[in-house]
Amino acid sequence: MNRVVHPIEQESYRRLRARLDTSHFPPLTRAVVERVIHSAADLDYASDLVLDEGQLEKAHVALHAGAPVVVDVEMVGAGITRRETVCRLRDAESGPGLTRSAHAIRLAHEQVGPGALWVIGNAPTALEELLTLDAAPALVIGLPVGFVGAVESKAALRESGLPAVSNVSEKGGSAVAAAALNALLYHPVSHPAAPSDSQSEEKS
């Protein structure tokens, strides 16, 4: 079912594009950048976000093929529409050297296994914990907010080589993390072209 865009949202995007030229971004990068900016009314995200179009393309395919979506807090999950999410924070407990948010990530990893999309918008320790696991994610949207640990955890995500959406500054939060995932959910799915005769012969 096609998503119906409310007139207020249409006008908001018109004003956004009048103030910021996003036409040079490739399609999925533009979709994520615009939706994050729209969610925060903060044009600085255009230069703060770090994205890779090829990684977004693979994540987009995985997401629309039904890959699980894991969130660090329920507020992120509440902002993600048209898809059920996994959040294990209610089941988690803190312990020596382990925050409740980090334990929730462990529990979620045990539940979903490899190939999930992870959306972290609140706790830097959740992102730090994810990086210690063999999660083999389809994508990590790592946009935790805060003055303690947020910048460092996002830098570590970029250094990990995992497919990721992150940002350089302390900014972030549940709304922008959910917006980044929603951008991939709302972006149209293109159907692959049928193989040519020569490709068919090569496979036969």
Side-chain angles (χ1 to χ4, degrees):
M1 184 173 66
N2 292 331
R3 175 173 175 267
V4 178
V5 180
H6 194 279
I8 293 176
E9 182 177 334
Q10 291 178 332
E11 175 62 14
S12 181
Y13 269 81
R14 187 195 67 77
R15 295 187 186 190
L16 185 162
R17 291 166 180 159
R19 295 175 61 181
L20 177 71
D21 181 11
T22 60
S23 62
H24 61 286
F25 289 120
L28 285 168
T29 297
R30 182 182 188 186
V32 172
V33 168
E34 288 188 342
R35 190 152 291 278
V36 166
I37 289 173
H38 176 262
S39 71
D42 187 344
L43 298 174
D44 288 342
Y45 274 110
S47 57
D48 192 39
L49 287 166
V50 180
L51 312 98
D52 178 272
E53 184 72 8
Q55 293 177 355
L56 292 178
E57 289 172 353
K58 293 177 181 178
H60 183 255
V61 171
L63 179 63
H64 287 274
V69 176
V70 183
V71 299
D72 63 330
V73 293
E74 292 182 2
M75 188 173 292
V76 174
I80 294 171
T81 56
R82 307 174 75 182
R83 178 60 68 92
E84 294 294 320
T85 61
V86 173
C87 181
R88 297 298 302 275
L89 191 60
R90 289 189 178 187
D91 306 316
E93 299 178 355
S94 61
L98 185 73
T99 66
R100 188 164 165 243
S101 295
H103 186 217
I105 294 299
R106 287 188 189 181
L107 295 175
H109 177 245
E110 292 171 2
Q111 177 178 338
V112 304
L117 288 89
W118 296 77
V119 190
I120 297 175
N122 184 66
T125 58
L127 182 52
E128 291 166 359
E129 181 64 24
L130 179 60
L131 297 180
T132 70
L133 304 174
D134 186 21
L139 185 70
V140 180
I141 296 175
L143 297 170
V145 60
F147 292 113
V148 179
V151 167
E152 294 83 358
S153 65
K154 289 180 277 196
L157 172 60
R158 290 190 292 276
E159 292 166 4
S160 73
L162 294 175
V165 172
S166 68
N167 70 307
V168 175
S169 73
E170 296 95 344
K171 294 188 297 188
S174 298
V176 296
L181 193 282
N182 283 337
L184 299 179
L185 272 176
Y186 299 162
H187 197 79
V189 177
S190 59
H191 299 286
S196 65
D197 291 341
S198 61
Q199 289 175 323
S200 300
E201 289 170 4
E202 289 173 2
K203 294 180 180 178
S204 60

